[in-house]
Amino acid sequence: MIATIQHAAFGAMAGVMIGFAHLHTLSPSVRWITEGRVGAAAGLQALRFALLALVLVLLARLGAVDLISAAVALVAVRALMIRRQARKSGGL
């Protein structure tokens, strides 16, 4: 029981960290595209998704609890970031 809770906590922490890293790098990527720096933006996009995939694969190797808790945390971070961006732009 304790081990399962530890795995869930580890997965959630990993999901929050990779979620923030993944979503914080989206803004520079969009800005670079609008500035015409498409190559740099494409490289950053590739790096974003490669890092996300790597972390999720490593968590899957640890077990389902780790992976699922990370996925839930990632979705929660995404929702928070969308809400934050909407408030900054006057959407909510």
Side-chain angles (χ1 to χ4, degrees):
M1 180 69 168
I2 297 296
T4 303
I5 293 170
Q6 289 173 335
H7 280 272
F10 177 76
M13 286 188 301
V16 167
M17 289 188 296
I18 194 65
F20 274 118
H22 183 73
L23 294 166
H24 273 291
T25 56
L26 182 59
S27 180
S29 181
V30 170
R31 188 176 62 249
W32 292 346
I33 289 172
T34 61
E35 293 172 354
R37 298 171 55 195
V38 178
L44 183 58
Q45 287 292 85
L47 182 64
R48 289 176 63 227
F49 284 109
L51 184 60
L52 179 62
L54 174 67
V55 169
L56 292 177
V57 166
L58 291 174
L59 287 167
R61 293 180 59 116
L62 290 175
V65 172
D66 297 271
L67 179 62
I68 291 170
S69 61
V72 169
L74 186 68
V75 170
V77 166
R78 181 182 175 273
L80 289 171
M81 297 291 286
I82 289 172
R83 180 167 291 220
R84 183 176 139 221
Q85 186 61 35
R87 282 193 180 139
K88 280 172 56 175
S89 63
L92 283 179

Coordinates of all heavy atoms in Angstrom, one line a residue:
M1 N 0.8 -1.2 0.0 CA 0.0 0.0 0.0 C 0.9 1.3 0.0 O 0.6 2.2 -0.8 CB -0.9 0.0 1.2 CG -1.8 1.1 1.3 SD -3.0 1.1 0.0 CE -4.1 2.4 0.5
I2 N 1.9 1.3 0.9 CA 2.7 2.5 0.9 C 3.5 2.6 -0.4 O 3.7 3.7 -0.9 CB 3.7 2.3 2.1 CG1 3.0 2.3 3.5 CG2 4.7 3.5 2.1 CD1 2.2 3.6 3.8
A3 N 4.0 1.5 -0.9 CA 4.7 1.6 -2.2 C 3.8 2.1 -3.3 O 4.3 2.9 -4.1 CB 5.2 0.2 -2.5
T4 N 2.6 1.8 -3.3 CA 1.7 2.3 -4.4 C 1.5 3.8 -4.2 O 1.5 4.5 -5.2 CB 0.3 1.6 -4.3 OG1 0.5 0.2 -4.4 CG2 -0.6 2.0 -5.4
I5 N 1.3 4.2 -3.0 CA 1.2 5.7 -2.7 C 2.5 6.4 -3.2 O 2.4 7.5 -3.7 CB 0.9 5.9 -1.3 CG1 -0.5 5.4 -0.9 CG2 0.9 7.4 -0.9 CD1 -0.9 5.4 0.5
Q6 N 3.6 5.8 -2.9 CA 4.9 6.4 -3.3 C 5.0 6.5 -4.8 O 5.5 7.5 -5.3 CB 6.1 5.7 -2.7 CG 6.2 5.9 -1.2 CD 7.3 5.0 -0.6 OE1 7.6 3.9 -1.1 NE2 7.8 5.4 0.6
H7 N 4.6 5.4 -5.5 CA 4.6 5.4 -6.9 C 3.7 6.5 -7.5 O 4.0 7.2 -8.5 CB 4.3 4.1 -7.5 CG 5.4 3.1 -7.4 ND1 6.3 3.0 -8.5 CD2 5.8 2.2 -6.5 CE1 7.2 2.1 -8.2 NE2 6.9 1.6 -7.0
A8 N 2.5 6.6 -6.9 CA 1.5 7.6 -7.4 C 2.1 9.0 -7.1 O 2.0 9.9 -8.0 CB 0.2 7.4 -6.6
A9 N 2.7 9.3 -6.0 CA 3.3 10.6 -5.7 C 4.4 10.9 -6.6 O 4.5 12.0 -7.2 CB 3.7 10.6 -4.2
F10 N 5.3 9.9 -6.9 CA 6.4 10.1 -7.8 C 5.9 10.4 -9.2 O 6.4 11.3 -9.9 CB 7.3 8.9 -7.8 CG 8.4 9.0 -8.8 CD1 9.5 9.8 -8.5 CD2 8.4 8.3 -10.0 CE1 10.6 9.9 -9.4 CE2 9.5 8.5 -10.9 CZ 10.6 9.2 -10.6
G11 N 4.9 9.6 -9.7 CA 4.4 9.9 -11.0 C 3.7 11.3 -11.1 O 3.9 12.0 -12.1
A12 N 3.0 11.7 -10.1 CA 2.4 13.0 -10.1 C 3.4 14.1 -10.1 O 3.2 15.1 -10.9 CB 1.4 13.1 -8.9
M13 N 4.4 14.0 -9.3 CA 5.5 15.0 -9.3 C 6.2 15.1 -10.7 O 6.4 16.1 -11.2 CB 6.5 14.7 -8.2 CG 6.0 15.0 -6.8 SD 7.3 15.0 -5.6 CE 7.9 13.3 -5.7
A14 N 6.4 13.9 -11.3 CA 7.1 13.9 -12.6 C 6.1 14.5 -13.6 O 6.6 15.3 -14.5 CB 7.4 12.4 -13.0
G15 N 4.8 14.2 -13.5 CA 3.9 14.8 -14.4 C 3.8 16.3 -14.3 O 3.7 17.0 -15.4
V16 N 3.8 16.8 -13.1 CA 3.7 18.2 -12.9 C 5.0 18.9 -13.5 O 4.9 19.9 -14.2 CB 3.6 18.6 -11.4 CG1 3.8 20.1 -11.2 CG2 2.2 18.2 -11.0
M17 N 6.1 18.3 -13.2 CA 7.4 18.9 -13.7 C 7.5 18.9 -15.3 O 7.8 19.9 -15.9 CB 8.6 18.2 -13.1 CG 8.8 18.5 -11.6 SD 10.3 17.9 -10.9 CE 10.1 16.2 -11.1
I18 N 7.2 17.7 -15.9 CA 7.3 17.7 -17.3 C 6.2 18.5 -18.0 O 6.3 19.1 -19.0 CB 7.3 16.2 -17.8 CG1 7.7 16.1 -19.3 CG2 5.9 15.5 -17.6 CD1 9.1 16.6 -19.5
G19 N 5.0 18.6 -17.3 CA 3.9 19.4 -17.8 C 4.3 20.9 -17.9 O 4.0 21.5 -18.9
F20 N 4.8 21.4 -16.8 CA 5.2 22.8 -16.8 C 6.3 23.0 -17.8 O 6.3 24.0 -18.5 CB 5.7 23.2 -15.4 CG 4.5 23.7 -14.5 CD1 4.2 23.0 -13.4 CD2 3.8 24.8 -14.9 CE1 3.2 23.4 -12.5 CE2 2.7 25.2 -14.1 CZ 2.4 24.5 -12.9
A21 N 7.3 22.1 -17.9 CA 8.4 22.3 -18.8 C 7.9 22.3 -20.3 O 8.2 23.1 -21.1 CB 9.5 21.2 -18.6
H22 N 7.0 21.3 -20.5 CA 6.4 21.1 -21.9 C 5.6 22.4 -22.3 O 5.7 22.8 -23.4 CB 5.6 19.9 -21.9 CG 5.0 19.5 -23.2 ND1 5.8 19.0 -24.2 CD2 3.7 19.6 -23.7 CE1 5.0 18.8 -25.3 NE2 3.8 19.2 -25.0
L23 N 4.8 22.9 -21.4 CA 3.9 23.9 -21.7 C 4.6 25.3 -21.7 O 4.2 26.2 -22.4 CB 2.6 23.9 -20.8 CG 1.8 22.7 -21.1 CD1 0.8 22.5 -20.0 CD2 1.1 22.7 -22.4
H24 N 5.6 25.5 -20.9 CA 6.3 26.8 -20.8 C 7.1 27.0 -22.1 O 7.4 28.1 -22.4 CB 7.2 26.9 -19.6 CG 6.5 27.4 -18.4 ND1 6.1 28.7 -18.3 CD2 6.1 26.8 -17.2 CE1 5.5 28.9 -17.1 NE2 5.5 27.7 -16.5
T25 N 7.5 25.9 -22.7 CA 8.3 26.1 -24.0 C 7.4 26.3 -25.2 O 7.9 26.5 -26.3 CB 9.2 24.9 -24.2 OG1 8.4 23.7 -24.2 CG2 10.3 24.8 -23.1
L26 N 6.1 26.2 -25.0 CA 5.2 26.4 -26.1 C 5.2 27.9 -26.6 O 5.2 28.2 -27.8 CB 3.8 26.0 -25.8 CG 2.7 26.1 -26.9 CD1 3.1 25.3 -28.1 CD2 1.4 25.6 -26.3
S27 N 5.2 28.8 -25.6 CA 5.1 30.2 -26.0 C 6.3 30.7 -26.8 O 6.1 31.4 -27.8 CB 5.0 31.1 -24.7 OG 5.0 32.4 -25.0
P28 N 7.6 30.3 -26.4 CA 8.7 30.7 -27.3 C 8.6 30.1 -28.7 O 8.9 30.8 -29.7 CB 9.9 30.2 -26.5 CG 9.5 30.0 -25.1 CD 8.0 29.7 -25.2
S29 N 8.1 28.9 -28.7 CA 8.0 28.3 -30.0 C 7.0 29.0 -30.9 O 7.3 29.3 -32.1 CB 7.5 26.8 -29.8 OG 7.4 26.2 -31.1
V30 N 5.9 29.4 -30.4 CA 4.9 30.2 -31.2 C 5.5 31.6 -31.6 O 5.3 32.0 -32.7 CB 3.6 30.4 -30.4 CG1 2.6 31.4 -31.1 CG2 2.9 29.0 -30.2
R31 N 6.2 32.2 -30.6 CA 6.8 33.5 -30.9 C 7.8 33.4 -32.0 O 7.9 34.2 -32.9 CB 7.4 34.1 -29.6 CG 7.9 35.5 -29.8 CD 8.4 36.1 -28.5 NE 9.6 35.4 -28.0 CZ 9.6 34.6 -26.9 NH1 8.5 34.5 -26.2 NH2 10.7 34.0 -26.5
W32 N 8.6 32.3 -32.0 CA 9.6 32.2 -33.0 C 9.0 31.9 -34.4 O 9.5 32.4 -35.4 CB 10.6 31.0 -32.7 CG 11.4 31.3 -31.5 CD1 11.7 32.5 -30.9 CD2 12.2 30.3 -30.7 NE1 12.5 32.4 -29.8 CE2 12.8 31.1 -29.7 CE3 12.4 29.0 -30.8 CZ2 13.7 30.4 -28.8 CZ3 13.2 28.4 -29.9 CH2 13.9 29.1 -28.9
I33 N 7.9 31.2 -34.4 CA 7.2 31.0 -35.7 C 6.7 32.3 -36.3 O 6.9 32.6 -37.4 CB 6.1 30.0 -35.5 CG1 6.6 28.6 -35.3 CG2 5.2 30.0 -36.8 CD1 5.6 27.5 -34.9
T34 N 6.1 33.1 -35.4 CA 5.6 34.4 -35.9 C 6.8 35.4 -36.3 O 6.5 36.3 -37.1 CB 4.7 35.1 -34.8 OG1 5.5 35.4 -33.6 CG2 3.5 34.3 -34.5
E35 N 7.9 35.2 -35.7 CA 9.1 36.0 -36.1 C 9.8 35.4 -37.3 O 10.8 36.0 -37.8 CB 10.1 36.1 -34.9 CG 9.6 36.8 -33.7 CD 10.5 36.7 -32.5 OE1 11.5 35.9 -32.6 OE2 10.2 37.3 -31.5
G36 N 9.4 34.3 -37.9 CA 10.0 33.7 -39.0 C 11.1 32.8 -38.7 O 11.8 32.3 -39.6
R37 N 11.3 32.5 -37.5 CA 12.4 31.5 -37.1 C 11.9 30.1 -37.0 O 11.8 29.5 -35.9 CB 13.0 32.0 -35.7 CG 13.6 33.4 -35.8 CD 14.0 33.9 -34.5 NE 14.9 33.0 -33.8 CZ 15.2 33.2 -32.5 NH1 14.6 34.1 -31.8 NH2 16.0 32.3 -31.9
V38 N 11.4 29.6 -38.1 CA 10.7 28.4 -38.2 C 11.6 27.2 -37.8 O 11.2 26.2 -37.1 CB 10.0 28.2 -39.5 CG1 9.3 26.8 -39.6 CG2 9.1 29.3 -39.8
G39 N 12.8 27.2 -38.2 CA 13.8 26.2 -37.9 C 14.0 26.0 -36.4 O 14.0 24.9 -35.9
A40 N 14.2 27.1 -35.7 CA 14.4 27.1 -34.3 C 13.1 26.6 -33.6 O 13.2 25.8 -32.7 CB 14.8 28.4 -33.8
A41 N 12.0 27.0 -34.1 CA 10.7 26.6 -33.5 C 10.5 25.1 -33.7 O 10.0 24.4 -32.8 CB 9.6 27.4 -34.1
A42 N 10.8 24.6 -34.9 CA 10.6 23.2 -35.2 C 11.6 22.4 -34.3 O 11.2 21.3 -33.8 CB 10.9 22.9 -36.6
G43 N 12.8 22.8 -34.1 CA 13.7 22.1 -33.2 C 13.2 22.1 -31.8 O 13.3 21.1 -31.1
L44 N 12.7 23.2 -31.3 CA 12.1 23.2 -30.0 C 10.9 22.3 -29.8 O 10.8 21.6 -28.8 CB 11.8 24.7 -29.6 CG 11.2 24.9 -28.2 CD1 12.3 24.4 -27.1 CD2 10.9 26.3 -27.9
Q45 N 10.1 22.3 -30.8 CA 8.9 21.4 -30.8 C 9.4 19.9 -30.8 O 8.8 19.2 -30.0 CB 8.0 21.6 -32.1 CG 7.3 22.9 -32.1 CD 6.2 22.9 -31.0 OE1 6.4 23.2 -29.9 NE2 5.0 22.5 -31.4
A46 N 10.4 19.6 -31.6 CA 10.9 18.2 -31.6 C 11.4 17.9 -30.2 O 11.2 16.8 -29.7 CB 11.9 18.1 -32.6
L47 N 12.2 18.8 -29.6 CA 12.7 18.6 -28.3 C 11.7 18.4 -27.2 O 11.7 17.5 -26.4 CB 13.7 19.7 -27.9 CG 14.4 19.6 -26.6 CD1 15.3 18.4 -26.5 CD2 15.1 20.9 -26.3
R48 N 10.6 19.3 -27.3 CA 9.5 19.2 -26.3 C 8.9 17.8 -26.4 O 8.6 17.2 -25.3 CB 8.4 20.2 -26.7 CG 8.7 21.6 -26.4 CD 7.6 22.6 -26.9 NE 6.4 22.4 -26.1 CZ 5.2 22.2 -26.7 NH1 5.0 22.3 -28.0 NH2 4.2 22.0 -25.9
F49 N 8.5 17.3 -27.6 CA 7.8 16.1 -27.7 C 8.8 14.9 -27.4 O 8.3 13.9 -26.8 CB 7.2 15.9 -29.0 CG 5.9 16.8 -29.1 CD1 5.9 17.9 -29.9 CD2 4.8 16.4 -28.4 CE1 4.7 18.7 -30.0 CE2 3.6 17.2 -28.5 CZ 3.6 18.3 -29.3
A50 N 10.0 15.0 -27.7 CA 11.0 13.9 -27.4 C 11.1 13.8 -25.9 O 11.1 12.6 -25.4 CB 12.3 14.2 -28.1
L51 N 11.3 14.9 -25.2 CA 11.4 14.8 -23.8 C 10.2 14.3 -23.1 O 10.2 13.5 -22.2 CB 11.8 16.2 -23.2 CG 12.0 16.3 -21.7 CD1 13.2 15.4 -21.3 CD2 12.3 17.8 -21.3
L52 N 9.0 14.7 -23.6 CA 7.7 14.2 -23.0 C 7.6 12.7 -23.2 O 7.3 12.0 -22.3 CB 6.5 15.0 -23.7 CG 5.2 14.5 -23.2 CD1 5.0 14.8 -21.7 CD2 4.1 15.3 -24.1
A53 N 7.9 12.3 -24.4 CA 7.8 10.8 -24.7 C 8.8 10.0 -23.9 O 8.5 9.0 -23.4 CB 8.1 10.6 -26.2
L54 N 10.0 10.6 -23.7 CA 11.0 9.9 -22.9 C 10.6 9.7 -21.5 O 10.6 8.6 -20.9 CB 12.4 10.6 -23.0 CG 13.5 10.1 -22.1 CD1 13.9 8.7 -22.5 CD2 14.6 11.1 -22.0
V55 N 10.1 10.8 -20.9 CA 9.6 10.7 -19.5 C 8.4 9.7 -19.4 O 8.4 8.9 -18.5 CB 9.2 12.1 -19.0 CG1 8.5 12.0 -17.7 CG2 10.5 13.0 -18.9
L56 N 7.5 9.8 -20.3 CA 6.3 8.9 -20.2 C 6.7 7.4 -20.4 O 6.2 6.5 -19.7 CB 5.3 9.3 -21.2 CG 4.6 10.6 -20.9 CD1 3.6 11.0 -22.0 CD2 3.9 10.6 -19.5
V57 N 7.7 7.2 -21.3 CA 8.1 5.8 -21.5 C 8.8 5.3 -20.2 O 8.6 4.1 -19.8 CB 9.1 5.7 -22.7 CG1 9.8 4.4 -22.7 CG2 8.2 5.8 -24.0
L58 N 9.7 6.1 -19.6 CA 10.4 5.7 -18.4 C 9.4 5.5 -17.3 O 9.5 4.5 -16.5 CB 11.4 6.8 -18.0 CG 12.6 6.9 -18.9 CD1 13.5 8.1 -18.4 CD2 13.4 5.6 -18.9
L59 N 8.3 6.3 -17.2 CA 7.3 6.1 -16.2 C 6.5 4.8 -16.4 O 6.2 4.1 -15.5 CB 6.4 7.3 -16.1 CG 7.0 8.5 -15.4 CD1 6.1 9.8 -15.7 CD2 7.2 8.3 -14.0
A60 N 6.3 4.5 -17.7 CA 5.5 3.3 -18.0 C 6.4 2.1 -17.6 O 5.8 1.1 -17.2 CB 5.2 3.3 -19.5
R61 N 7.7 2.2 -17.7 CA 8.5 1.1 -17.3 C 8.5 0.9 -15.8 O 8.7 -0.2 -15.3 CB 9.9 1.3 -17.8 CG 10.0 1.2 -19.4 CD 11.4 1.4 -19.8 NE 12.3 0.4 -19.2 CZ 13.0 -0.5 -19.9 NH1 12.9 -0.5 -21.2 NH2 13.8 -1.4 -19.3
L62 N 8.2 1.9 -15.1 CA 8.2 1.8 -13.6 C 6.8 1.2 -13.2 O 6.7 0.5 -12.2 CB 8.3 3.2 -12.9 CG 9.7 3.8 -13.0 CD1 9.6 5.2 -12.4 CD2 10.7 2.9 -12.3
G63 N 5.8 1.4 -14.0 CA 4.5 0.8 -13.7 C 3.3 1.6 -14.1 O 3.5 2.8 -14.3
A64 N 2.2 1.0 -14.0 CA 0.9 1.7 -14.5 C 0.6 2.8 -13.5 O 0.1 3.9 -14.0 CB -0.2 0.7 -14.5
V65 N 0.8 2.7 -12.2 CA 0.4 3.7 -11.3 C 1.2 5.0 -11.5 O 0.7 6.1 -11.5 CB 0.6 3.2 -9.8 CG1 0.4 4.3 -8.8 CG2 -0.3 2.1 -9.5
D66 N 2.5 4.8 -11.8 CA 3.4 6.0 -12.1 C 2.9 6.7 -13.3 O 2.8 7.9 -13.4 CB 4.8 5.5 -12.3 CG 5.4 4.9 -11.0 OD1 6.0 5.6 -10.2 OD2 5.3 3.6 -10.9
L67 N 2.7 5.9 -14.4 CA 2.2 6.5 -15.7 C 0.9 7.2 -15.6 O 0.7 8.3 -16.0 CB 2.2 5.4 -16.7 CG 1.8 5.9 -18.1 CD1 2.8 6.9 -18.7 CD2 1.7 4.7 -19.0
I68 N -0.1 6.5 -14.9 CA -1.4 7.1 -14.9 C -1.4 8.4 -14.0 O -2.0 9.4 -14.4 CB -2.4 6.1 -14.4 CG1 -2.6 5.0 -15.4 CG2 -3.7 6.7 -14.0 CD1 -3.4 3.8 -14.9
S69 N -0.7 8.3 -12.9 CA -0.7 9.5 -12.0 C 0.1 10.7 -12.7 O -0.3 11.9 -12.6 CB 0.0 9.2 -10.7 OG 1.3 8.8 -10.8
A70 N 1.1 10.4 -13.5 CA 1.8 11.4 -14.3 C 0.9 12.0 -15.3 O 0.8 13.2 -15.6 CB 3.0 10.8 -14.9
A71 N 0.1 11.1 -16.0 CA -0.8 11.6 -17.0 C -1.9 12.5 -16.5 O -2.2 13.6 -17.0 CB -1.4 10.4 -17.8
V72 N -2.4 12.1 -15.3 CA -3.4 13.0 -14.6 C -2.8 14.3 -14.2 O -3.5 15.4 -14.4 CB -4.0 12.2 -13.4 CG1 -4.9 13.2 -12.6 CG2 -4.8 11.0 -13.9
A73 N -1.6 14.3 -13.7 CA -1.0 15.5 -13.3 C -0.7 16.4 -14.5 O -0.9 17.6 -14.5 CB 0.3 15.3 -12.6
L74 N -0.3 15.8 -15.6 CA 0.0 16.5 -16.9 C -1.3 17.2 -17.4 O -1.2 18.4 -17.8 CB 0.5 15.6 -17.9 CG 1.0 16.1 -19.2 CD1 2.3 17.0 -19.0 CD2 1.3 15.0 -20.2
V75 N -2.4 16.5 -17.3 CA -3.7 17.1 -17.8 C -4.1 18.2 -16.8 O -4.6 19.3 -17.3 CB -4.8 16.0 -17.9 CG1 -6.1 16.6 -18.1 CG2 -4.4 15.0 -19.0
A76 N -3.9 18.1 -15.5 CA -4.2 19.1 -14.6 C -3.3 20.4 -14.8 O -3.8 21.5 -14.8 CB -4.0 18.6 -13.2
V77 N -2.1 20.2 -15.1 CA -1.2 21.3 -15.3 C -1.6 22.0 -16.6 O -1.6 23.2 -16.7 CB 0.3 20.8 -15.4 CG1 1.2 21.9 -16.1 CG2 0.8 20.5 -14.1
R78 N -2.0 21.2 -17.6 CA -2.5 21.8 -18.9 C -3.7 22.7 -18.6 O -3.8 23.8 -19.1 CB -2.8 20.7 -19.9 CG -3.3 21.2 -21.2 CD -3.6 20.1 -22.1 NE -4.2 20.5 -23.4 CZ -5.5 20.8 -23.6 NH1 -6.3 20.6 -22.6 NH2 -5.9 21.2 -24.7
A79 N -4.6 22.2 -17.8 CA -5.8 23.0 -17.5 C -5.5 24.3 -16.8 O -6.1 25.3 -17.1 CB -6.8 22.1 -16.7
L80 N -4.6 24.2 -15.8 CA -4.2 25.4 -15.1 C -3.5 26.4 -16.0 O -3.7 27.6 -15.9 CB -3.2 25.0 -14.0 CG -3.8 24.3 -12.8 CD1 -2.7 23.8 -11.9 CD2 -4.8 25.1 -12.1
M81 N -2.6 25.9 -16.9 CA -1.9 26.8 -17.8 C -2.9 27.5 -18.8 O -2.7 28.6 -19.1 CB -0.8 26.0 -18.6 CG 0.3 25.5 -17.7 SD 1.3 26.7 -17.0 CE 2.3 27.2 -18.4
I82 N -3.9 26.7 -19.3 CA -4.9 27.3 -20.2 C -5.7 28.4 -19.5 O -5.9 29.5 -20.0 CB -5.8 26.2 -20.8 CG1 -5.0 25.3 -21.8 CG2 -7.0 26.8 -21.4 CD1 -5.8 24.1 -22.2
R83 N -6.1 28.1 -18.3 CA -6.8 29.1 -17.5 C -6.0 30.3 -17.2 O -6.5 31.4 -17.3 CB -7.3 28.5 -16.2 CG -8.1 29.4 -15.3 CD -8.7 28.7 -14.2 NE -9.8 27.9 -14.8 CZ -10.9 27.7 -14.3 NH1 -11.3 28.3 -13.2 NH2 -11.8 26.9 -14.9
R84 N -4.7 30.1 -16.9 CA -3.8 31.2 -16.6 C -3.6 32.1 -17.9 O -3.7 33.3 -17.8 CB -2.5 30.7 -16.2 CG -1.5 31.8 -15.8 CD -0.2 31.2 -15.2 NE 0.9 32.0 -15.8 CZ 2.0 31.5 -16.2 NH1 2.2 30.2 -16.2 NH2 2.9 32.2 -16.7
Q85 N -3.4 31.5 -19.0 CA -3.3 32.2 -20.3 C -4.6 32.9 -20.6 O -4.5 34.1 -21.1 CB -2.8 31.3 -21.4 CG -2.5 32.0 -22.7 CD -1.3 32.9 -22.5 OE1 -0.4 32.7 -21.8 NE2 -1.4 34.0 -23.2
A86 N -5.7 32.3 -20.4 CA -7.0 33.0 -20.7 C -7.2 34.2 -19.9 O -7.7 35.2 -20.3 CB -8.1 32.0 -20.5
R87 N -6.8 34.1 -18.6 CA -6.9 35.3 -17.7 C -6.0 36.4 -18.1 O -6.4 37.6 -18.1 CB -6.7 34.9 -16.3 CG -7.8 34.1 -15.6 CD -7.6 34.0 -14.2 NE -8.8 33.3 -13.6 CZ -8.7 32.4 -12.7 NH1 -7.6 32.1 -12.1 NH2 -9.8 31.8 -12.2
K88 N -4.8 36.0 -18.6 CA -3.8 37.1 -19.0 C -4.3 37.8 -20.3 O -4.1 39.0 -20.4 CB -2.5 36.4 -19.3 CG -1.7 36.2 -18.0 CD -0.4 35.4 -18.3 CE 0.5 36.0 -19.3 NZ 1.8 35.2 -19.4
S89 N -5.0 37.0 -21.1 CA -5.5 37.6 -22.4 C -6.9 38.1 -22.3 O -7.5 38.6 -23.2 CB -5.4 36.6 -23.5 OG -6.2 35.5 -23.3
G90 N -7.5 38.0 -21.1 CA -8.9 38.6 -20.9 C -10.0 37.6 -21.3 O -11.1 38.0 -21.4
G91 N -9.7 36.3 -21.5 CA -10.7 35.4 -21.9 C -11.6 34.8 -20.8 O -12.7 34.5 -21.0
L92 N -11.1 34.8 -19.6 CA -11.9 34.3 -18.5 C -12.1 35.3 -17.4 O -11.4 36.1 -17.1 CB -11.2 33.1 -17.8 CG -11.3 31.7 -18.5 CD1 -10.6 30.7 -17.7 CD2 -12.7 31.3 -18.7

